[in-house]
Amino acid sequence: MALTALLSVSDKTGILEFAKALHALGTKLLSTGGTAKLLADAGLPVTEVAEHTGFPEMMDGRVKTLHPKIHGGLLARSDLPEHVAAMAQHGITRIDILAVNLYPFEATVAKPGCTLEDAIENIDIGGPAMVRSAAKNWRDVTVLTDAAQYAGVLDELKASGKTSDKTRFACSVAAFNRIAQYDAAISNYLSALQEDGSKAEYPAQMNSTFVKVQDLRYGENSHQTAALYRDLFPAPGSLVTGKQLQGKELSYNNIADADAAWECVKSFDTPACVIVKHANPCGVAVGGNPAEAYSKAFKTDPTSAFGGIIAFNREVDGAAAQLVAKQFVEVLMAPSFSAEALEAFKGKVNVRLLQIALPPGGATPWLQGRNAGDSKRVGSGLLLQTSDNHFLKKEDLKIVTTLQPTAQQLDDLMFAWTVAQYVKSNAIVFCGGGMTLGVGAGQMSRLDSARIASIKAQHAGLSLAGSAVASDAFFPFRDGLDVLADAGATCVIQPGGSMRDDEVIAAANERGIAMVLTGVRHFRH
């Protein structure tokens, strides 16, 4: 018996080729509106749904497929005699294949100036209803909600005249997932609307949709289970868009550290290298090329760099690869790897190489245009916030000391400030010559972070004389500044805003330190 396929798609990608292939296999074609016209214009024999149901489309197309001859054809179970009898009694034809993609609600509300009327008119009713019916009856119906599914289904139909149980069930799951995504988008949009017509930044109900990338061997610790998910539409240049070229499977901690390294390194416009250990940069540097940037970053803290995560914002060439290959590295990521670089790591089968495209437009546009939010679970709740994407320009700085910073000091301060954004609070970062010299992270006291940064520089054999320092938040007392001055710092960048700012500024003048204020802080918990 010939199969019957109902094709009704908003996105016409691939549908004509799919319909032609179905027709060649003897499949009867049903369709609606624009899809039916497309098929008919191509010379395919197609029956309009209105003709099939004997009931006209009405209300501007709002009512066309909500009919027993459609839903009966999708929901009837072939293994139940009473269902088969009901179909025969009421002249209902079984629909074996349903190809539907929904009105473009997400794309519509993403457009600037979208009105509530525009949004409402792009809420699909008949499409989701058909998809749910077909997906529920997956043993009898193949439901397709994505053009990427067409080829696989055609291959099975050509081979055996039917689709497999495995394929129909997989298509059913994909269909219910798509409906969930669609309804979530509608709920998020409508829940954010306010009485005056404006949109709240955070909707009254937050529906998040994530797609599983892979199960992980374990979580942060071996007794914890874990999995990696990505946003339904991941931002270009984000870690989850990358491709693993070689190495063992990424672990939970690998992914968390790799994300920290990647987010930091793509903040620089010039060739840069970032080495991360336990989610904190332990070495960051810029240079004329990747090899120079790596060499400088490694010097900051060779001990912590052992078993670290390394990220570059330029292609890793042979020279850089030869240097990195000398140390134990868990993950190495970059926009690309030269043939020589790949050869250098060919024998190190456990080293994970990740290739990730940089976001379009470079570091500055990426930071300014970034709109993804950050989230954190708390008990049975969720904290949401916008991303810390503040882009600081030199002209935004407020010089508050008698001593003015030199042009070189301003460059070092801007570099230090960028790094501090990615260091766990309380954060103190000593820098000089385009590289980190000492990093103090995650301490309960800013004073302790300053001391630790100084100690780490000393252990690495790096002089802090003439260094620039960034503090991610204000100095509550002058004691932290005194530690920096004692270590050799000559200029400091910090947000300001303490009740004792005058005391801290006076201390800077007393110690001969140039100080600039940003007016913003970079807490990272």
Side-chain angles (χ1 to χ4, degrees):
M1 181 181 295
L3 301 177
T4 297
L6 172 53
L7 313 179
S8 180
V9 293
S10 175
D11 180 356
K12 306 295 192 293
T13 302
I15 195 64
L16 182 57
E17 294 76 11
F18 184 54
K20 288 179 178 179
L22 289 175
H23 173 62
L25 294 170
T27 303
K28 179 182 178 182
L29 301 178
L30 298 177
S31 193
T32 62
T35 308
K37 184 177 186 305
L38 176 69
L39 304 187
D41 288 347
L44 290 172
V46 57
T47 301
E48 283 264 13
V49 162
E51 179 184 348
H52 177 74
T53 63
F55 203 90
E57 287 189 18
M58 60 176 59
M59 302 175 186
D60 298 318
R62 286 189 173 202
V63 179
K64 52 190 173 187
T65 58
L66 298 171
H67 193 281
K69 283 196 172 183
I70 298 300
H71 287 274
L74 293 170
L75 283 166
R77 288 176 52 177
S78 60
D79 62 331
L80 296 180
E82 57 269 34
H83 283 206
V84 176
M87 292 177 67
Q89 179 183 353
H90 297 287
I92 296 174
T93 300
R94 178 176 304 285
I95 298 173
D96 306 282
I97 299 169
L98 176 71
V100 170
N101 52 54
L102 312 176
Y103 292 174
F105 179 84
E106 295 101 328
T108 298
V109 298
K111 295 176 182 176
C114 173
T115 65
L116 177 59
E117 183 178 358
D118 291 335
I120 293 296
E121 287 306 309
N122 278 278
I123 296 177
D124 204 334
I125 303 300
M130 288 191 292
V131 168
R132 291 179 67 89
S133 293
K136 177 176 180 176
N137 197 28
W138 65 269
R139 292 188 182 278
D140 288 298
V141 184
T142 306
V143 54
L144 307 174
T145 50
D146 191 314
Q149 298 168 315
Y150 298 165
V153 165
L154 285 174
D155 288 342
E156 290 192 9
L157 292 175
K158 291 174 182 177
S160 61
K162 62 179 182 179
T163 54
S164 66
D165 288 351
K166 179 180 179 181
T167 293
R168 289 194 304 278
F169 184 72
C171 288
S172 170
V173 172
F176 279 120
N177 287 345
R178 176 62 188 125
I179 296 301
Q181 295 158 4
Y182 195 72
D183 287 343
I186 295 170
S187 172
N188 287 345
Y189 176 82
L190 295 178
S191 294
L193 292 182
Q194 303 185 98
E195 290 185 6
D196 62 0
S198 63
K199 284 185 65 180
E201 189 170 8
Y202 300 99
Q205 176 168 313
M206 184 66 205
N207 306 278
S208 298
T209 302
F210 298 95
V211 178
K212 188 163 77 173
V213 176
Q214 67 187 86
D215 288 308
L216 303 175
R217 288 176 295 159
Y218 53 82
E220 202 162 9
N221 300 290
S222 59
H223 61 277
Q224 296 171 266
T225 61
L228 171 64
Y229 287 78
R230 63 164 175 80
D231 286 322
L232 182 60
F233 303 108
S238 55
L239 180 75
V240 294
T241 65
K243 177 183 179 182
Q244 186 168 348
L245 303 181
Q246 76 160 54
K248 296 188 298 184
E249 179 183 309
L250 288 163
S251 71
Y252 181 98
N253 292 331
N254 288 156
I255 294 168
D257 286 349
D259 184 62
W262 185 246
E263 291 298 305
C264 183
V265 81
K266 67 184 184 182
S267 298
F268 295 98
D269 282 316
T270 54
C273 174
V274 174
I275 306 174
V276 161
K277 195 70 171 290
H278 294 295
N280 275 301
C282 61
V284 181
V286 293
N289 53 62
E292 181 187 354
Y294 167 76
S295 296
K296 292 165 68 175
F298 183 76
K299 288 178 183 177
T300 303
D301 191 350
T303 302
S304 297
F306 180 84
I309 309 294
I310 302 177
F312 290 90
N313 65 350
R314 295 290 189 274
E315 178 176 272
V316 174
D317 56 18
Q322 290 294 338
L323 291 175
V324 175
K326 294 177 181 178
Q327 76 158 98
F328 170 45
V329 56
E330 289 274 6
V331 181
L332 175 61
M333 67 197 85
S336 58
F337 296 85
S338 70
E340 293 81 1
L342 293 174
E343 185 64 30
F345 286 99
K346 193 174 182 180
K348 295 180 176 290
V349 295
N350 290 332
V351 177
R352 303 158 178 92
L353 299 185
L354 295 183
Q355 183 170 308
I356 314 170
L358 288 169
T364 302
W366 167 76
L367 281 171
Q368 291 175 322
R370 191 173 159 208
N371 56 13
D374 294 329
S375 64
K376 182 182 292 187
R377 287 302 304 262
V378 286
S380 295
L382 182 71
L383 284 171
L384 292 178
Q385 65 175 353
T386 56
S387 294
D388 182 8
N389 59 359
H390 181 268
F391 179 70
L392 183 70
K393 300 187 289 288
K394 286 183 181 178
E395 51 265 37
D396 297 331
L397 299 176
K398 180 182 180 182
I399 302 171
V400 293
T401 50
T402 303
L403 187 64
Q404 303 286 298
T406 66
Q408 181 58 56
Q409 285 178 325
L410 282 174
D411 287 342
D412 286 339
L413 289 170
M414 294 295 287
F415 175 85
W417 184 249
T418 299
V419 176
Q421 181 177 350
Y422 299 95
V423 177
K424 299 288 187 181
S425 299
N426 288 305
I428 293 290
V429 181
F430 284 87
C431 295
M435 64 177 283
T436 48
L437 301 171
V439 179
Q443 298 304 304
M444 291 71 76
S445 161
R446 187 161 304 279
L447 189 61
D448 287 338
S449 287
R451 289 168 176 156
I452 288 171
S454 176
I455 291 169
K456 291 184 77 68
Q458 183 180 4
H459 286 175
L462 297 173
S463 172
L464 296 181
S467 59
V469 179
S471 173
D472 65 343
F474 62 64
F475 291 96
F477 303 97
R478 69 165 288 167
D479 52 3
L481 186 82
D482 284 326
V483 171
L484 306 184
D486 291 343
T490 56
C491 56
V492 173
I493 184 171
Q494 58 123 332
S498 167
M499 291 191 305
R500 295 181 175 84
D501 269 355
D502 289 344
E503 176 186 325
V504 175
I505 294 169
N509 284 326
E510 176 189 323
R511 300 299 301 267
I513 287 179
M515 180 180 289
V516 299
L517 304 184
T518 65
V520 295
R521 74 180 186 197
H522 279 315
F523 272 162
R524 187 177 181 86
H525 292 105

